[in-house]
Amino acid sequence: MERRQYDISSWGKHALHPKPSKQAVDFIFVMDLLNFSFWHERSLKKRFTVDFKGQHTGYWSLVASMQRGLSLGYRIDDPQYYSEMSEQDFDKIFATASPEHEEIPMRSKRIQMLHTAGKILVRDWNSSFTNVVTKANGSAKQLMHLVLQSFGELFDDSLEYQGEKLQFQKRLQILVADLWGCFQGTDYGYFSDIDSITMFADYRVPQALLAIGLISYSPELEQRLKEDELYHSTIGEPNENQKHMIPRGHQFEIEIRSASIYSVDLLVKEMCKKKKVNAIMADFYLWDLAKEQNTSMSHLPIHLTRSIYY
């Protein structure tokens, strides 16, 4: 991170990310409402791909689709529009590169979530997420509380495990982090308690943590991921039956995500002995690292859970 001068300004250096503005707040809300489940069930060459200022897959296919939609006059950042968005408009905004490529995963669920979230913003927040952020009064915790209170299961990434409720809140926390990154910790991105945010427990960052040796998998888990068809290679053609996955709430899913949060917390504490850093920056760096070194990490297993939460 130090060699690459990786800091809060790195977020805005991605060409597809929005520039700071009131409109950007509403753009980021939709971006993180839909920021989930981009892994493919077919080969890498046929996965959901978007053509807009280059070809994009994964998370960047979402951002590229939204930016392309705006450029074509579709107000994907306006709750009044997307609360009643037609399926035809959705398919134009999130059009895949060719008929050979699969459509965006969980298409119907995403449309439903846009309709529900848009209606809530129109009804309760004067048609803008900026009003939610303003009411949070510079507190990340308060903003997350308000989002959970208003949008409920659209964001509530919590699970029961051995009699306790665990709060992962991946998309909820990354919503705060993206505002912080976009506005460089000022204006709509100022949060006095920003360091209370943990890493964002998904399926990509654990792979990076495996690669650098911060976490390891038990022989039982590794065997299940690789041999019981729960491991889905990021390159090559999967076999017909290679669509099994770890169900949401399974012990393996919970433990992988929990270990990721804990290990990044330990990493951040160690890094802070030399330079101030937080879990957001560590996560952003590890995620970018995993994407950049996708091919060299392809031998490392990724757990797959089809879910709206990551």
Side-chain angles (χ1 to χ4, degrees), residues 196-214:
S196 65
I197 300 296
T198 71
M199 64 83 67
F200 319 118
D202 63 358
Y203 52 85
R204 180 61 71 181
V205 173
Q207 187 188 39
L209 295 173
L210 272 175
I212 62 179
L214 272 180

Side-chain angles (χ1 to χ4, degrees), residues 56-244:
H56 308 279
T57 59
Y59 163 75
W60 292 113
S61 66
L62 167 67
V63 188
S65 293
M66 292 180 61
Q67 293 287 15
R68 178 180 60 189
L70 287 176
S71 73
L72 295 174
Y74 296 100
R75 294 309 307 271
I76 188 64
D77 57 350
D78 181 353
Q80 293 191 11
Y81 166 69
Y82 63 75
S83 66
E84 299 179 347
M85 178 190 288
S86 68
E87 292 189 19
Q88 291 76 15
D89 278 9
F90 181 92
D91 289 340
K92 289 175 183 176
I93 295 167
F94 295 96
T96 195
S98 74
E100 287 72 38
H101 290 86
E102 61 185 6
E103 67 179 21
I104 189 169
M106 302 182 74
R107 169 186 172 275
S108 296
K109 185 64 176 177
R110 293 176 197 272
I111 295 172
Q112 177 191 343
M113 291 172 68
L114 283 166
H115 288 169
T116 302
K119 286 179 173 64
I120 292 169
L121 283 173
V122 170
R123 183 190 69 213
D124 299 338
W125 296 100
N126 197 23
S127 299
S128 179
F129 190 66
T130 58
N131 296 315
V132 187
V133 179
T134 299
K135 187 167 183 178
N137 196 29
S139 168
K141 291 180 180 178
Q142 179 63 10
L143 179 56
M144 290 190 290
H145 171 74
L146 289 170
V147 172
L148 284 178
Q149 190 177 58
S150 290
F151 300 94
E153 64 180 13
L154 295 181
F155 281 91
D156 189 6
D157 181 12
S158 58
L159 289 165
E160 292 288 334
Y161 180 68
Q162 296 183 357
E164 293 193 29
K165 187 174 183 179
L166 304 182
Q167 303 277 355
F168 292 103
Q169 307 301 1
K170 186 263 185 179
R171 286 195 297 109
L172 185 55
Q173 291 196 106
I174 207 168
L175 172 59
V176 174
D178 283 339
L179 290 168
W180 180 71
C182 179
F183 290 90
Q184 303 287 286
T186 65
D187 198 7
Y188 289 111
Y190 169 76
F191 302 101
S192 60
D193 52 352
I194 193 65
D195 291 344
S196 65
I197 300 296
T198 71
M199 64 83 67
F200 319 118
D202 63 358
Y203 52 85
R204 180 61 71 181
V205 173
Q207 187 188 39
L209 295 173
L210 272 175
I212 62 179
L214 272 180
I215 63 173
S216 61
Y217 291 159
S218 68
E220 177 190 6
L221 173 56
E222 189 166 357
Q223 180 178 355
R224 184 167 181 186
L225 288 170
K226 290 184 175 180
E227 297 180 9
D228 197 24
E229 299 178 336
L230 289 173
Y231 171 56
H232 189 86
S233 175
T234 56
I235 57 175
E237 295 281 347
N239 65 55
E240 290 183 359
N241 297 317
Q242 199 169 5
K243 297 179 183 178
H244 297 283

Side-chain angles (χ1 to χ4, degrees), residues 27-35 155 171 174-175 178:
F27 183 99
I28 288 170
F29 174 76
V30 176
M31 184 177 81
D32 287 321
L33 176 71
L34 302 179
N35 184 4
F155 281 91
R171 286 195 297 109
I174 207 168
L175 172 59
D178 283 339

